[in-house]
Every structure is written in structure tokens, then in C-alpha cells.
Amino acid sequence: MAIDFAAAFASREKALGWPDHQTGERIVFCERQTYGKTLQALEKRVASIFGPTEIADRWTKPRDYKPDGNATASDPLYEPARPFKVDPAQFIKRAHMVRPAEPEPTVSAFAQWLYSLYSTTHGDVHDRERGIETERGIGQGLSEFFHADMESRDEKMEQRRAYRRRKLCELGDELQNPSFTGWELVHSGLHLLDELTTWYSVPDLCVGNVPLRASPDLLFLNRVTGEVIVVEIKSSEMEIPSNLWPNIWGQLWCYAQIPFVREASRVTVVGEVWGERWIRESQRARSTYPHLFMRASVRRDPRAKAFDQFFRELFKLYAGGGGGWLPCPIPQ
């Protein structure tokens, strides 16, 4: 029997803090969810991987948002998302100036270097500390965490990290849906505790003589059509640009160079952003519980000429090459 997602969450939306005029899919996971609500959230999440989906962001005002008088100073909303604008020539120029002395042959290190090229204007140390806080699961209302001893804190943080990793790679039986015929999850780099995560070697991208190591968060292959979808997952409570950040796309561009991905008939890369907040289940509830919200899902073709040239140029600089002139602007 189909579950009405909107109806299932209708009684909780005021407690969850959704703006009245918020549009898009509302994808939420919580450990205390019923099976039906979890199944519906899974359906929505999987659909967002295999097709363009507008996501409602719990942290951002919709464009037609009108305050209802219930917003508080402690729970502000970001302004409607705008694109992250890049001047390719200036970005490449800065990359020339701050090439790493000892680049590491990993995709994550390349992405961190890309982040450093713009972090002073689109994120600072406070943003990173807030991101780390979110990653650790230290949320609003978790006062008992601060009064626990160090061993208990570590245990609580690991439990939260394990829950998020498990939930973000859980697909249930959704791939058995006829709409997704042929699709198979062939790799998960989310480092689940009971799984050994493997790495791909990318011989076309070398640092010195060492091929880049890559471990995508989620990598799907369609055995029928030969298509590939690669998903990169980020956790953030920062303001999100409508086209996400360059470091996410640089990371996904690297994954698109994995040998069997390069041979795919078609490649789509998807950037997901999630946020976590400890909130009450209802207005009358006394305890707060962690809720995992999808905040954004954006997709691109990594083989697009401008996209490929831009990140290939940056990788040459990162790996120690001289780079060259970039004739095409990266699309916004």
C-alpha cells in the first residue's frame, strides 16, 4: 500500500520547523521513525539519486517565504539559495599561486586543496568548526553530552557517526523497483564499521608516478544500459549555494576518471548535502531526538567540455604540472 508522505509528516511539520511555504521533497530520517515513514523517506531519497528532484531545505527560506511570526532568533533561516559564482581565470590564477608543496595522491586531499582556494570568502574556521560539530552529532538540546565523561562522549559520537553512515547508504529494497531496472550499488565508501572499504586506482590522474586513490561515497552501475551514477555526500549547516561548492564537483570529477566509469555509456555525478538537528517530535514532547535532513541534491554531467577542462586544469596544478590557458568558462 502506498504511503502518503505529506500526511505522514503533517502532524509533525510544525515541530520540525518547516516554513509554511516550503516547496520540494522533504526527506528526513530519525531513529524513532516508524517503518512506514522510513520507507517513504527511502523512496524519496532513492528517487533523488536517479532523477532530478527539488529538495526542501530545512535551513533555507523558499523564494516565496512569508514569516508567520513563529520564527525565533535562535532558529534563523538562510536567504533563498544563490549560485556559487566562479571566475575561471581568477580561480586558476589563485591555484597557480598556492600549489601544494607535497600533494597527496588522494581525491579527498585534492578536494581539500580546492576548498582552500575559496574558503576565506565562502567559509572560514568557524564554518569548519561548525561542520565538525555537526559531524560529531553534537546537536541542539544534547545537554547530557556535555556532562558525560570522555569515554561516554566518544561512544555517543561513534554511535551517531555509525547511524548516519548506515542511513545514508541504506537503500532498502528500492533498487528492486521496476523504475530502477538494472541498477546496482557497486561501491560504498562511507566506511561502515562492519565493512572493509576498497579503493579505486585512477591511472589517468597521477601525483608524481602514483595514481590517485578514489573511494566514492556511492557508485551505481546499470548492468543493462552501462550508465553510471556517482554520489558524493556532505554534511553541513552552512548556507548552500544552488550549484553547491567547487570542491564537491572537483571530487566528483575525479571519480568520473575511474577506469570503468570512463568506459560507461553515460555518467552522472550527484552532490548531496545533509544536515542534522536535535528537535522535539511534537510541541508537547519534552525530549529531543536527532533528525537527519537532506538539504540539497544537485546533478551534473562530468563530461561536459567546460566542466572537464576546468577541473583537469586545476588537477594539473595540484599534481605539480604547469597548467595552461583555460579557454572555456565553467557553467554556473
Side-chain angles (χ1 to χ4, degrees):
M1 180 180 67
I3 301 169
D4 186 338
F5 181 73
F9 277 90
S11 62
R12 301 173 56 219
E13 289 192 351
K14 200 167 189 65
L16 291 175
W18 294 104
D20 290 340
H21 297 82
Q22 187 80 65
T23 60
E25 297 293 357
R26 306 176 181 192
I27 303 178
V28 188
F29 290 107
C30 177
E31 289 181 87
R32 292 171 58 85
Q33 273 178 331
T34 64
Y35 172 76
K37 291 177 181 178
T38 298
L39 179 61
Q40 188 65 48
L42 279 172
E43 290 176 355
K44 299 292 184 181
R45 193 280 173 93
V46 172
S48 73
I49 291 175
F50 294 100
T53 305
E54 180 188 2
I55 303 298
D57 180 20
R58 164 66 176 76
W59 280 259
T60 301
K61 298 176 184 176
R63 295 197 178 278
D64 58 353
Y65 175 67
K66 296 179 181 179
D68 60 4
N70 294 322
T72 64
S74 61
D75 191 28
L77 295 175
Y78 293 121
E79 292 301 316
R82 294 171 294 178
F84 187 110
K85 295 185 178 180
V86 173
D87 181 327
Q90 290 300 317
F91 205 87
I92 294 293
K93 182 178 179 180
R94 175 162 175 75
H96 267 286
M97 297 170 60
V98 293
R99 284 176 285 182
E102 297 181 358
E104 298 179 30
T106 66
V107 173
S108 58
F110 174 57
Q112 289 169 8
W113 176 71
L114 290 176
Y115 176 78
S116 74
L117 299 179
Y118 62 88
S119 60
T120 54
T121 54
H122 292 275
D124 54 21
V125 65
H126 300 295
D127 292 328
R128 292 193 293 274
E129 288 176 350
R130 181 166 55 178
I132 292 171
E133 181 176 281
T134 300
E135 180 62 24
R136 289 177 173 174
I138 304 175
Q140 183 179 351
L142 192 60
S143 58
E144 64 271 19
F145 177 91
F146 297 102
H147 295 93
D149 56 41
M150 186 58 67
E151 184 175 348
S152 296
R153 287 189 182 191
D154 289 343
E155 182 179 358
K156 288 178 182 295
M157 287 192 295
E158 186 51 51
Q159 288 175 349
R160 292 303 311 138
R161 285 194 292 264
Y163 172 76
R164 284 195 295 278
R165 288 193 296 263
R166 186 174 68 252
K167 188 56 64 178
L168 292 177
C169 73
E170 179 183 346
L171 303 174
D173 296 324
E174 288 308 300
L175 292 188
Q176 306 304 315
N177 187 311
S179 301
F180 309 127
T181 299
W183 285 106
E184 177 183 343
L185 177 64
V186 296
H187 177 84
S188 172
L190 292 174
H191 306 283
L192 297 181
L193 296 179
D194 57 347
E195 295 181 0
L196 179 63
T197 300
T198 57
W199 296 82
Y200 291 104
S201 180
V202 188
D204 287 345
L205 301 177
C206 290
V207 176
N209 295 318
V210 182
L212 209 63
R213 289 193 305 164
S215 181
D217 286 338
L218 299 173
L219 197 160
F220 298 89
L221 170 65
N222 191 305
R223 302 287 185 183
V224 177
T225 66
E227 296 177 66
V228 165
I229 293 178
V230 190
V231 182
E232 175 62 21
I233 299 169
K234 297 297 184 187
S235 173
S236 177
E237 292 189 14
M238 294 169 57
E239 186 172 358
I240 303 176
S242 58
N243 56 350
L244 306 185
W245 302 279
N247 63 317
I248 291 182
W249 299 119
Q251 200 163 349
L252 285 163
W253 174 81
C254 290
Y255 296 145
Q257 314 312 312
I258 293 171
F260 90 87
V261 178
R262 283 178 61 88
E263 296 173 359
S265 62
R266 180 181 178 184
V267 180
T268 301
V269 293
V270 180
E272 288 185 351
V273 182
W274 294 76
E276 185 179 60
R277 182 158 294 184
W278 291 70
I279 54 182
R280 291 179 174 84
E281 292 286 299
S282 68
Q283 290 182 302
R284 292 182 296 179
R286 301 182 62 181
S287 299
T288 58
Y289 299 95
H291 291 65
L292 194 60
F293 294 82
M294 178 181 277
R295 299 191 57 202
S297 177
V298 184
R299 56 208 302 114
R300 277 192 169 175
D301 174 6
R303 295 174 174 175
K305 183 177 180 180
F307 187 96
D308 180 70
Q309 279 191 301
F310 183 71
F311 288 109
R312 194 171 297 278
E313 190 79 7
L314 287 167
F315 185 80
K316 288 179 184 177
L317 294 172
Y318 172 81
W325 177 246
L326 181 72
C328 299
I330 185 172
Q332 301 299 333

